[in-house]
Amino acid sequence: MSSPCALPHSEHVLSRVEDGVLHITLNRPERRHALTFDMYLQLAWLLNMANSTEAVRVVLLSGAGEYFTGGNDLADFIGFEDGEDFVPAHFLGALSRCEKPVVAAVEGGAIGVGSTLLLHCDVVYAGRSTRFLMPFINFALCPEGASSLLLPRAAGYKQAVRWLMLGEPFDAAEAQRASLVTEVVDDGSALGRAAATAARLAALPHAAVLETKALMRRAEARLVQSVLDDECHAFATLLAAPAAQAALKAFTNAAARRATA
């Protein structure tokens, strides 16, 4: 049965509450669900709403079709100036502070923030051929999402160097070994598995589920927030610098030429 709580309409971030599960679906297939600033704000609103709404017991995050997300829409980053509001921080903060269990279904690709956000999810299923990439260094940028703390802890420092400092891609099996992914499943089945797990979590004693998550994350919660703030400040400063702006423009111009060729 669907919950009566009203959710704002957005064509790029679909949402509904059903049987205690807040379904959030990224829906911008023409850009592989690349996240715009408006989408970040919508996602932050939904996660904050989940914390304060009794009808929501679990959050389920996925991308429509066969792709999770291509990361940031770089067009929103071009022309960014030092001192502007770094909008992705609103979403990253809301996700890291989400008190309800967050389950993610990942297919196709998880690029940039599409990979780092998984560090804040409680259960993640990924299709076998999913490609992961954290290409921040290639745009003269630094990690975000507290990944500079959480990824070395989960994967080991030297593995994190490969992905954050060298920008190397990796596959679903590597993501599972690094604890970004709970289980690798057949392509096309991640959402089904994630939905089943979300339903299981929603059916469990809710107060006990919340307390268990809070206890497991308690030791690092304040540190995560501190690192997240430091990263977002550094990211925004680098983003406004000429090196990042030149790299972003070169990439988007090349992509535009490929699209019209």
Side-chain angles (χ1 to χ4, degrees):
M1 179 181 298
S2 297
S3 163
C5 70
L7 301 178
H9 172 75
S10 171
E11 62 177 329
H12 292 149
V13 180
L14 307 179
S15 58
R16 74 181 194 279
V17 179
E18 187 173 356
D19 295 329
V21 179
L22 170 60
H23 297 252
I24 302 176
T25 306
L26 306 177
N27 185 47
R28 201 178 173 221
E30 71 279 6
R31 295 297 303 274
R32 288 190 166 180
H33 313 311
L35 299 173
T36 64
F37 282 1
D38 285 345
M39 291 170 71
Y40 276 122
L41 293 174
Q42 178 74 5
L43 289 166
W45 188 95
L46 287 167
L47 290 167
N48 289 328
M49 180 276 296
N51 266 356
S52 60
T53 303
E54 291 186 7
V56 176
R57 299 166 73 93
V58 182
V59 176
L60 173 59
L61 180 62
S62 65
E66 299 177 353
Y67 208 87
F68 186 52
T69 176
N72 295 295
D73 187 324
L74 299 182
D76 277 357
F77 279 172
I78 293 176
F80 183 89
E81 297 182 357
D82 198 17
E84 285 187 38
D85 181 22
F86 184 59
V87 173
H90 296 279
F91 162 67
L92 294 168
L95 179 62
S96 69
R97 293 188 297 270
C98 188
E99 299 169 4
K100 310 294 174 70
V102 180
V103 182
V106 181
E107 298 275 6
I111 311 302
V113 69
S115 286
T116 59
L117 71 83
L118 301 178
L119 292 162
H120 301 281
C121 296
D122 301 292
V123 185
V124 178
Y125 294 96
R128 204 169 306 281
S129 65
T130 304
R131 177 174 175 264
F132 298 79
L133 179 65
M134 304 176 194
F136 311 113
I137 199 72
N138 299 323
F139 297 104
L141 297 169
C142 66
E144 37 81 321
S147 56
S148 64
L149 169 72
L150 297 176
L151 191 61
R153 284 189 173 186
Y157 177 81
K158 290 179 173 60
Q159 192 72 286
V161 166
R162 285 184 54 208
W163 299 339
L164 292 177
M165 199 177 295
L166 295 172
E168 295 181 3
F170 54 105
D171 62 20
E174 288 181 286
Q176 183 179 22
R177 289 194 292 271
S179 297
L180 273 172
V181 167
T182 305
E183 185 178 347
V184 177
V185 298
D186 290 338
D187 289 340
S189 65
L191 182 56
R193 292 296 301 277
T197 295
R200 284 180 58 196
L201 285 166
L204 290 169
H206 189 49
V209 170
L210 294 182
E211 195 61 49
T212 300
K213 175 170 179 172
L215 288 167
M216 287 195 293
R217 292 188 175 255
R218 176 180 54 185
E220 64 182 19
R222 290 183 180 177
L223 181 56
V224 166
Q225 289 303 312
S226 177
V227 172
L228 186 61
D229 290 343
D230 289 345
E231 284 181 352
C232 285
H233 176 75
F235 194 105
T237 299
L238 289 170
L239 180 58
Q245 288 299 311
L248 292 165
K249 289 174 184 176
F251 182 87
T252 53
N253 288 341
R257 287 195 295 270
R258 288 194 299 269
T260 57

